[in-house]
Amino acid sequence: MSRQLVIIVVMQLDDEPDYPRGFLLATSAVTPPDSFEPGPALPNFWIHPWTSVGIAQEGTLLVAVIGICVPTFESPVERAPENLLGRLQQNEESLLAALSDFAGRYAVIFGSVGHLKIVNDATSMRSVFYAPEQGIVASHALLVEESLGEQIVSSKLPVHHGFPGNRTPFARTKVLTPNTYLDLARSCVVRFWPFRSVPEVDVEGAAAQLIEQVTRAIRVAAQGHNLRLALTAGLDSRVLLAMVLHAGVTFESYTYGTKRDTAVDRAFALDLAKQAGVPHTLIPNPGTAEGLVDFTTG
């Protein structure tokens, strides 16, 4: 089974504190942001109050899931942390393989105190940044830099967006790429997927498998969450709209923007949602509108 993915749109408000829903983990004492509080179970683990963390622990082994981690199999009887801990008790490879059964925006810390590893979701929607030799891992690149202390060192690469490989805007900080995990004790990154050669499949077979897996993931996610789909004129959001409609779950859609550069998206999305019979909201400004707070927290 291929690793799963779910498209999640995150919108940030101007009045949010530094590093909302963030985390900081270190192999030694570190000074967290003022807004952070101690995280559960682990030393030198700090989280923002809005950060969702689930812990499962037995003996020396533990699994901590940060963020939204949704099972894509029918009728899950365990939370993600307990499920993954059971797989870790078998072996590490079993846990890593089990990640194919989960979708969302998350990071997973696993192992034992003194030998922890961290991996994120299949497409790295939950970004994980780290300083390779200093044993510091965090949700934001700048948070890693600040935790390192001294003067922040900017990258000298001649780019401003889309840094290549595992590079970031900061010379001392790297980003964890998809399908790899960071071994904190050994200060190294290990690629773990694909586990074997991916078999060839024709277009029809691949499409059928994708539809089945995504439909199942959407239905399971809808059991405990209010689904809201960001809808534009783009192909990706239109395909996702088709998939959510196919899954037959209750959801709403929205589009934001007020300027000319979003006019086509807003008009197209409104008309498309009307044709599909989906409640649709136009958000004037994602950075300041009070309506966005009501919409995203309602």
Side-chain angles (χ1 to χ4, degrees):
M1 181 182 294
S2 61
R3 300 191 69 197
Q4 306 295 318
L5 63 91
V6 164
I7 298 175
I8 297 177
V9 175
V10 178
M11 291 174 288
Q12 194 171 39
L13 300 178
D14 292 340
D15 59 352
E16 286 181 346
D18 290 341
Y19 311 119
R21 298 180 181 85
F23 67 90
L24 174 63
L25 175 67
T27 55
S28 58
V30 65
T31 301
D34 293 339
S35 60
F36 277 32
E37 59 190 29
L42 294 170
N44 306 311
F45 181 38
W46 301 87
I47 59 175
H48 184 272
W50 298 352
T51 303
S52 172
V53 181
I55 294 283
Q57 186 171 8
E58 185 171 331
T60 61
L61 293 179
L62 66 85
V63 170
V65 177
I66 304 171
I68 299 175
C69 184
V70 179
T72 62
F73 44 88
E74 299 290 349
S75 303
V77 296
E78 297 176 305
R79 299 186 314 144
E82 284 78 13
N83 183 287
L84 294 173
L85 177 62
R87 301 296 289 268
L88 180 60
Q89 289 172 326
Q90 298 175 28
N91 53 59
E92 184 178 287
E93 291 73 19
S94 180
L95 178 144
L96 294 171
L99 294 177
S100 292
D101 295 328
F102 292 89
R105 180 179 183 265
Y106 62 86
V108 176
I109 302 170
F110 63 96
S112 57
V113 175
H115 196 169
L116 295 173
K117 301 171 184 178
I118 185 168
V119 61
N120 50 9
D121 57 81
T123 57
S124 296
M125 285 188 290
R126 168 65 280 172
S127 299
V128 173
F129 298 92
Y130 63 96
E133 304 299 329
Q134 286 75 18
I136 295 176
V137 182
S139 52
H140 298 71
L142 183 58
L143 180 51
V144 172
E145 284 290 317
E146 291 179 343
S147 301
L148 288 170
E150 302 178 350
Q151 183 176 359
I152 292 176
V153 182
S154 297
S155 171
K156 297 185 185 304
L157 288 175
V159 293
H160 295 285
H161 303 285
F163 283 78
N166 62 357
R167 304 295 187 90
T168 73
F170 308 106
R172 301 180 297 177
T173 299
K174 308 298 183 186
V175 62
L176 189 64
T177 53
N179 304 315
T180 65
Y181 67 81
L182 172 66
D183 187 326
L184 274 75
R186 296 168 53 201
S187 298
C188 68
V189 173
V190 179
R191 182 174 179 86
F192 67 88
W193 191 90
F195 300 98
R196 62 189 67 86
S197 298
V198 178
E200 291 188 8
V201 60
D202 58 27
V203 174
E204 290 76 12
Q209 183 180 15
L210 180 63
I211 291 172
E212 177 187 357
Q213 293 176 340
V214 174
T215 299
R216 186 167 60 243
I218 292 171
R219 289 173 176 169
V220 174
Q223 294 175 12
H225 301 85
N226 296 323
L227 298 188
R228 295 184 173 95
L229 171 67
L231 185 59
T232 69
L235 177 60
D236 52 354
S237 69
R238 285 186 282 134
V239 170
L240 189 55
L241 172 65
M243 287 303 311
V244 180
L245 290 170
H246 176 77
V249 300
T250 300
F251 72 102
E252 301 177 19
S253 61
Y254 67 92
T255 309
Y256 61 82
T258 56
K259 298 181 180 180
R260 292 179 58 185
D261 60 349
T262 61
V264 172
D265 283 325
R266 286 181 279 122
F268 189 96
L270 181 62
D271 182 66
L272 190 58
K274 182 178 179 179
Q275 293 186 51
V278 176
H280 187 77
T281 301
L282 293 173
I283 306 296
N285 189 317
T288 60
E290 294 180 1
L292 179 62
V293 178
D294 296 335
F295 182 67
T296 57
T297 60

